[in-house]
Amino acid sequence: MKKYSFEIRQIDAWFYDEQWNYNTTYYIGTMTTQAENIKKAFARYLKKQGIIFKKNRTRIEINDGGCIYEIIDRKTQEPLFCAIYMEV
């Protein structure tokens, strides 16, 4: 089974020119998983870190050809956290 490794970061973003842009990011940790459902593994990792979201408040989007997973606020579209794929 293939192992996947991701760097997890909290995002501070600004809304500029009709889109959200990363201002800075803060390192949270590294997630390694063999799960096929990366979205679920990402949410589970954050929950283990004590980061929990209200039900139906966020969604997870896949960007950059599957290399970056972002947790997005459904109401404002602001990116909150990201998981960046790293080669194992």
Side-chain angles (χ1 to χ4, degrees), residues 3-21:
K3 270 191 174 180
Y4 302 96
S5 188
F6 293 87
E7 183 175 301
I8 309 300
R9 294 189 159 269
Q10 182 176 359
I11 302 167
D12 176 30
W14 291 350
F15 191 73
Y16 179 75
D17 281 342
E18 304 296 321
Q19 66 181 8
W20 285 100
N21 299 287

Side-chain angles (χ1 to χ4, degrees), residues 71-88:
I71 294 184
I72 307 287
D73 184 299
R74 285 183 187 267
K75 193 173 194 179
T76 64
Q77 306 304 311
E78 178 183 3
L80 305 172
F81 292 89
C82 67
I84 304 166
Y85 178 73
M86 302 182 320
E87 291 291 327
V88 179

Side-chain angles (χ1 to χ4, degrees), residues 36-69:
E36 291 299 319
N37 189 337
I38 304 299
K39 290 181 179 184
K40 242 184 197 177
F42 184 20
R44 195 175 318 123
Y45 177 85
L46 288 176
K47 187 175 183 180
K48 285 181 183 178
Q49 301 301 315
I51 301 167
I52 301 170
F53 303 101
K54 288 185 179 180
K55 190 173 182 174
N56 295 321
R57 179 63 196 233
T58 60
R59 71 174 188 277
I60 299 177
E61 289 186 355
I62 304 170
N63 296 322
D64 200 24
C67 292
I68 300 175
Y69 289 74

Side-chain angles (χ1 to χ4, degrees), residues 23-41:
N23 176 37
T24 190
T25 62
Y26 302 97
Y27 178 78
I28 301 231
T30 301
M31 173 185 80
T32 303
T33 185
Q34 291 182 342
E36 291 299 319
N37 189 337
I38 304 299
K39 290 181 179 184
K40 242 184 197 177

